[in-house]
mmCIF file of all heavy atoms in Angstrom:
data_model
loop_
_atom_site.group_PDB
_atom_site.id
_atom_site.type_symbol
_atom_site.label_atom_id
_atom_site.label_comp_id
_atom_site.label_asym_id
_atom_site.label_seq_id
_atom_site.Cartn_x
_atom_site.Cartn_y
_atom_site.Cartn_z
ATOM 1 N N GLU A 900 6.502 33.815 4.352
ATOM 2 C CA GLU A 900 7.031 32.716 5.241
ATOM 3 C C GLU A 900 6.428 31.350 4.949
ATOM 4 O O GLU A 900 7.045 30.316 4.855
ATOM 5 C CB GLU A 900 6.742 33.023 6.698
ATOM 6 C CG GLU A 900 7.642 34.091 7.223
ATOM 7 C CD GLU A 900 9.135 33.487 7.493
ATOM 8 O OE1 GLU A 900 9.345 32.294 7.288
ATOM 9 O OE2 GLU A 900 9.972 34.332 7.861
ATOM 10 N N THR A 901 5.082 31.366 4.690
ATOM 11 C CA THR A 901 4.294 30.134 4.411
ATOM 12 C C THR A 901 4.354 29.704 3.051
ATOM 13 O O THR A 901 4.699 28.562 2.762
ATOM 14 C CB THR A 901 2.755 30.395 4.837
ATOM 15 O OG1 THR A 901 2.747 30.983 6.154
ATOM 16 C CG2 THR A 901 2.025 29.109 4.806
ATOM 17 N N THR A 902 3.995 30.607 2.152
ATOM 18 C CA THR A 902 3.680 30.216 0.796
ATOM 19 C C THR A 902 5.025 30.138 -0.077
ATOM 20 O O THR A 902 5.065 29.334 -1.058
ATOM 21 C CB THR A 902 2.730 31.256 0.169
ATOM 22 O OG1 THR A 902 1.557 31.334 0.995
ATOM 23 C CG2 THR A 902 2.322 30.922 -1.176
ATOM 24 N N ALA A 903 6.034 30.850 0.342
ATOM 25 C CA ALA A 903 7.316 30.817 -0.356
ATOM 26 C C ALA A 903 8.272 29.888 0.517
ATOM 27 O O ALA A 903 8.634 28.736 0.064
ATOM 28 C CB ALA A 903 7.927 32.238 -0.495
ATOM 29 N N LEU A 904 8.738 30.383 1.617
ATOM 30 C CA LEU A 904 9.839 29.629 2.363
ATOM 31 C C LEU A 904 9.270 28.289 2.835
ATOM 32 O O LEU A 904 10.110 27.388 2.978
ATOM 33 C CB LEU A 904 10.349 30.534 3.450
ATOM 34 C CG LEU A 904 11.394 31.594 3.192
ATOM 35 C CD1 LEU A 904 11.730 32.362 4.327
ATOM 36 C CD2 LEU A 904 12.616 30.889 2.527
ATOM 37 N N GLY A 905 7.962 28.170 3.080
ATOM 38 C CA GLY A 905 7.419 26.959 3.575
ATOM 39 C C GLY A 905 7.726 25.802 2.552
ATOM 40 O O GLY A 905 7.963 24.644 2.935
ATOM 41 N N VAL A 906 7.779 26.120 1.288
ATOM 42 C CA VAL A 906 8.028 25.194 0.239
ATOM 43 C C VAL A 906 9.536 24.689 0.464
ATOM 44 O O VAL A 906 9.762 23.450 0.321
ATOM 45 C CB VAL A 906 7.806 25.763 -1.169
ATOM 46 C CG1 VAL A 906 7.981 24.642 -2.215
ATOM 47 C CG2 VAL A 906 6.481 26.411 -1.288
ATOM 48 N N THR A 907 10.437 25.581 0.650
ATOM 49 C CA THR A 907 11.831 25.244 0.856
ATOM 50 C C THR A 907 11.949 24.371 2.081
ATOM 51 O O THR A 907 12.684 23.281 2.106
ATOM 52 C CB THR A 907 12.699 26.476 0.992
ATOM 53 O OG1 THR A 907 12.445 27.252 -0.138
ATOM 54 C CG2 THR A 907 14.168 26.035 1.005
ATOM 55 N N ARG A 908 11.296 24.741 3.203
ATOM 56 C CA ARG A 908 11.334 23.886 4.406
ATOM 57 C C ARG A 908 10.897 22.530 4.095
ATOM 58 O O ARG A 908 11.565 21.505 4.427
ATOM 59 C CB ARG A 908 10.490 24.491 5.487
ATOM 60 C CG ARG A 908 11.017 25.786 6.108
ATOM 61 C CD ARG A 908 10.259 26.217 7.439
ATOM 62 N NE ARG A 908 10.565 27.621 7.655
ATOM 63 C CZ ARG A 908 9.863 28.675 7.241
ATOM 64 N NH1 ARG A 908 8.787 28.483 6.606
ATOM 65 N NH2 ARG A 908 10.244 29.850 7.486
ATOM 66 N N LEU A 909 9.822 22.339 3.443
ATOM 67 C CA LEU A 909 9.291 20.952 3.093
ATOM 68 C C LEU A 909 10.205 20.251 2.123
ATOM 69 O O LEU A 909 10.521 19.093 2.319
ATOM 70 C CB LEU A 909 7.876 21.072 2.630
ATOM 71 C CG LEU A 909 7.149 19.743 2.400
ATOM 72 C CD1 LEU A 909 7.121 18.890 3.699
ATOM 73 C CD2 LEU A 909 5.810 19.924 1.939
ATOM 74 N N LEU A 910 10.579 20.901 1.042
ATOM 75 C CA LEU A 910 11.431 20.217 0.046
ATOM 76 C C LEU A 910 12.856 19.741 0.794
ATOM 77 O O LEU A 910 13.265 18.648 0.451
ATOM 78 C CB LEU A 910 11.822 21.216 -1.036
ATOM 79 C CG LEU A 910 10.881 21.388 -2.207
ATOM 80 C CD1 LEU A 910 11.275 22.504 -3.049
ATOM 81 C CD2 LEU A 910 10.888 20.047 -3.102
ATOM 82 N N ASP A 911 13.313 20.566 1.619
ATOM 83 C CA ASP A 911 14.598 20.221 2.283
ATOM 84 C C ASP A 911 14.382 19.116 3.246
ATOM 85 O O ASP A 911 15.261 18.263 3.367
ATOM 86 C CB ASP A 911 15.208 21.456 2.936
ATOM 87 C CG ASP A 911 16.741 21.347 2.906
ATOM 88 O OD1 ASP A 911 17.315 21.285 1.742
ATOM 89 O OD2 ASP A 911 17.302 21.146 3.921
ATOM 90 N N ALA A 912 13.229 19.086 3.858
ATOM 91 C CA ALA A 912 12.981 17.997 4.818
ATOM 92 C C ALA A 912 12.820 16.677 4.031
ATOM 93 O O ALA A 912 13.327 15.585 4.408
ATOM 94 C CB ALA A 912 11.702 18.295 5.597
ATOM 95 N N VAL A 913 12.121 16.706 2.890
ATOM 96 C CA VAL A 913 11.992 15.570 2.036
ATOM 97 C C VAL A 913 13.357 15.112 1.548
ATOM 98 O O VAL A 913 13.701 13.897 1.496
ATOM 99 C CB VAL A 913 11.058 15.812 0.850
ATOM 100 C CG1 VAL A 913 11.026 14.702 -0.153
ATOM 101 C CG2 VAL A 913 9.665 16.081 1.299
ATOM 102 N N ARG A 914 14.256 16.082 1.012
ATOM 103 C CA ARG A 914 15.532 15.683 0.549
ATOM 104 C C ARG A 914 16.345 15.016 1.621
ATOM 105 O O ARG A 914 17.025 14.072 1.381
ATOM 106 C CB ARG A 914 16.277 16.940 0.115
ATOM 107 C CG ARG A 914 17.617 16.746 -0.421
ATOM 108 C CD ARG A 914 18.251 18.062 -0.902
ATOM 109 N NE ARG A 914 18.699 18.807 0.190
ATOM 110 C CZ ARG A 914 19.992 18.883 0.712
ATOM 111 N NH1 ARG A 914 20.798 18.075 0.206
ATOM 112 N NH2 ARG A 914 20.306 19.660 1.648
ATOM 113 N N THR A 915 16.161 15.376 2.907
ATOM 114 C CA THR A 915 17.013 14.781 4.013
ATOM 115 C C THR A 915 16.447 13.466 4.390
ATOM 116 O O THR A 915 17.238 12.558 4.633
ATOM 117 C CB THR A 915 16.917 15.851 5.220
ATOM 118 O OG1 THR A 915 17.272 17.116 4.753
ATOM 119 C CG2 THR A 915 17.864 15.385 6.286
ATOM 120 N N VAL A 916 15.074 13.434 4.585
ATOM 121 C CA VAL A 916 14.473 12.248 5.166
ATOM 122 C C VAL A 916 14.073 11.139 4.204
ATOM 123 O O VAL A 916 14.111 10.005 4.412
ATOM 124 C CB VAL A 916 13.324 12.690 6.096
ATOM 125 C CG1 VAL A 916 12.619 11.496 6.649
ATOM 126 C CG2 VAL A 916 13.739 13.611 7.123
ATOM 127 N N ARG A 917 13.608 11.657 3.050
ATOM 128 C CA ARG A 917 12.803 10.698 2.107
ATOM 129 C C ARG A 917 13.063 11.210 0.705
ATOM 130 O O ARG A 917 12.198 11.555 0.003
ATOM 131 C CB ARG A 917 11.303 10.863 2.459
ATOM 132 C CG ARG A 917 10.450 9.795 2.019
ATOM 133 C CD ARG A 917 10.510 8.477 2.733
ATOM 134 N NE ARG A 917 9.624 7.552 2.113
ATOM 135 C CZ ARG A 917 9.881 6.244 2.066
ATOM 136 N NH1 ARG A 917 10.866 5.709 2.632
ATOM 137 N NH2 ARG A 917 8.957 5.387 1.457
ATOM 138 N N PRO A 918 14.359 11.139 0.231
ATOM 139 C CA PRO A 918 14.772 11.663 -1.065
ATOM 140 C C PRO A 918 14.021 11.134 -2.239
ATOM 141 O O PRO A 918 13.969 11.780 -3.362
ATOM 142 C CB PRO A 918 16.296 11.700 -1.089
ATOM 143 C CG PRO A 918 16.627 10.614 -0.091
ATOM 144 C CD PRO A 918 15.502 10.625 0.975
ATOM 145 N N ASP A 919 13.618 9.872 -2.113
ATOM 146 C CA ASP A 919 12.955 9.231 -3.259
ATOM 147 C C ASP A 919 11.508 9.386 -3.365
ATOM 148 O O ASP A 919 10.857 9.083 -4.349
ATOM 149 C CB ASP A 919 13.230 7.707 -3.218
ATOM 150 C CG ASP A 919 14.791 7.446 -3.437
ATOM 151 O OD1 ASP A 919 15.409 8.272 -4.159
ATOM 152 O OD2 ASP A 919 15.308 6.363 -2.975
ATOM 153 N N ALA A 920 10.957 10.138 -2.433
ATOM 154 C CA ALA A 920 9.470 10.430 -2.446
ATOM 155 C C ALA A 920 9.188 11.318 -3.533
ATOM 156 O O ALA A 920 10.010 12.228 -3.920
ATOM 157 C CB ALA A 920 9.026 11.090 -1.144
ATOM 158 N N ARG A 921 8.117 11.270 -4.168
ATOM 159 C CA ARG A 921 7.699 12.111 -5.248
ATOM 160 C C ARG A 921 6.933 13.354 -4.617
ATOM 161 O O ARG A 921 6.154 13.147 -3.765
ATOM 162 C CB ARG A 921 6.793 11.434 -6.263
ATOM 163 C CG ARG A 921 7.635 10.264 -6.925
ATOM 164 C CD ARG A 921 6.885 9.571 -7.970
ATOM 165 N NE ARG A 921 7.869 8.646 -8.758
ATOM 166 C CZ ARG A 921 7.708 8.162 -9.931
ATOM 167 N NH1 ARG A 921 6.566 8.380 -10.534
ATOM 168 N NH2 ARG A 921 8.661 7.415 -10.409
ATOM 169 N N PHE A 922 7.209 14.525 -5.158
ATOM 170 C CA PHE A 922 6.742 15.756 -4.542
ATOM 171 C C PHE A 922 5.910 16.476 -5.543
ATOM 172 O O PHE A 922 6.261 16.741 -6.718
ATOM 173 C CB PHE A 922 8.060 16.584 -4.180
ATOM 174 C CG PHE A 922 7.673 17.843 -3.431
ATOM 175 C CD1 PHE A 922 7.547 17.871 -2.034
ATOM 176 C CD2 PHE A 922 7.580 19.104 -4.144
ATOM 177 C CE1 PHE A 922 7.285 19.085 -1.360
ATOM 178 C CE2 PHE A 922 7.329 20.198 -3.427
ATOM 179 C CZ PHE A 922 7.149 20.191 -2.115
ATOM 180 N N TYR A 923 4.825 17.092 -5.078
ATOM 181 C CA TYR A 923 3.899 17.974 -5.842
ATOM 182 C C TYR A 923 3.907 19.327 -5.175
ATOM 183 O O TYR A 923 3.624 19.485 -4.003
ATOM 184 C CB TYR A 923 2.490 17.346 -5.856
ATOM 185 C CG TYR A 923 1.563 18.286 -6.554
ATOM 186 C CD1 TYR A 923 1.405 18.389 -7.882
ATOM 187 C CD2 TYR A 923 0.717 19.187 -5.800
ATOM 188 C CE1 TYR A 923 0.634 19.238 -8.503
ATOM 189 C CE2 TYR A 923 -0.023 20.111 -6.477
ATOM 190 C CZ TYR A 923 -0.156 20.168 -7.795
ATOM 191 O OH TYR A 923 -0.947 21.056 -8.451
ATOM 192 N N GLN A 924 4.081 20.353 -5.936
ATOM 193 C CA GLN A 924 4.005 21.714 -5.506
ATOM 194 C C GLN A 924 2.776 22.363 -6.122
ATOM 195 O O GLN A 924 2.547 22.373 -7.326
ATOM 196 C CB GLN A 924 5.241 22.542 -5.740
ATOM 197 C CG GLN A 924 5.131 24.035 -5.634
ATOM 198 C CD GLN A 924 4.717 24.472 -4.154
ATOM 199 O OE1 GLN A 924 4.700 23.690 -3.267
ATOM 200 N NE2 GLN A 924 4.257 25.748 -4.091
ATOM 201 N N ALA A 925 1.934 22.992 -5.254
ATOM 202 C CA ALA A 925 0.690 23.725 -5.653
ATOM 203 C C ALA A 925 1.033 25.076 -6.255
ATOM 204 O O ALA A 925 0.918 26.028 -5.496
ATOM 205 C CB ALA A 925 -0.323 23.792 -4.587
ATOM 206 N N SER A 926 1.493 25.160 -7.495
ATOM 207 C CA SER A 926 1.713 26.468 -8.147
ATOM 208 C C SER A 926 0.443 26.965 -8.670
ATOM 209 O O SER A 926 -0.585 26.294 -8.628
ATOM 210 C CB SER A 926 2.808 26.405 -9.250
ATOM 211 O OG SER A 926 4.030 26.178 -8.538
ATOM 212 N N THR A 927 0.480 28.179 -9.291
ATOM 213 C CA THR A 927 -0.733 28.829 -9.599
ATOM 214 C C THR A 927 -0.709 29.720 -10.886
ATOM 215 O O THR A 927 0.363 30.368 -11.143
ATOM 216 C CB THR A 927 -1.258 29.712 -8.352
ATOM 217 O OG1 THR A 927 -2.273 30.579 -8.767
ATOM 218 C CG2 THR A 927 0.023 30.639 -7.799
ATOM 219 N N SER A 928 -1.842 30.007 -11.421
ATOM 220 C CA SER A 928 -1.870 30.900 -12.504
ATOM 221 C C SER A 928 -1.721 32.343 -12.037
ATOM 222 O O SER A 928 -1.406 33.222 -12.985
ATOM 223 C CB SER A 928 -3.290 30.792 -13.222
ATOM 224 O OG SER A 928 -4.277 30.831 -12.242
ATOM 225 N N GLU A 929 -1.770 32.655 -10.792
ATOM 226 C CA GLU A 929 -1.471 33.950 -10.288
ATOM 227 C C GLU A 929 -0.091 34.337 -10.603
ATOM 228 O O GLU A 929 0.254 35.552 -10.543
ATOM 229 C CB GLU A 929 -1.689 34.021 -8.802
ATOM 230 C CG GLU A 929 -3.102 34.341 -8.321
ATOM 231 C CD GLU A 929 -3.750 35.669 -8.735
ATOM 232 O OE1 GLU A 929 -3.106 36.669 -8.248
ATOM 233 O OE2 GLU A 929 -4.662 35.648 -9.417
ATOM 234 N N MET A 930 0.769 33.422 -10.876
ATOM 235 C CA MET A 930 2.187 33.735 -11.191
ATOM 236 C C MET A 930 2.253 34.416 -12.488
ATOM 237 O O MET A 930 3.192 35.165 -12.740
ATOM 238 C CB MET A 930 3.067 32.393 -11.296
ATOM 239 C CG MET A 930 3.119 31.629 -9.987
ATOM 240 S SD MET A 930 4.227 30.247 -9.993
ATOM 241 C CE MET A 930 3.706 29.226 -11.274
#
Side-chain angles (χ1 to χ4, degrees):
E900 283 289 354
T901 310
T902 305
L904 280 177
V906 186
T907 309
R908 290 189 194 95
L909 185 57
L910 273 169
D911 210 63
V913 172
R914 180 175 78 90
T915 309
V916 176
R917 197 74 182 149
D919 292 333
R921 296 187 171 197
F922 183 89
Y923 174 84
Q924 167 57 15
S926 287
T927 167
S928 48
E929 277 293 302
M930 301 189 304

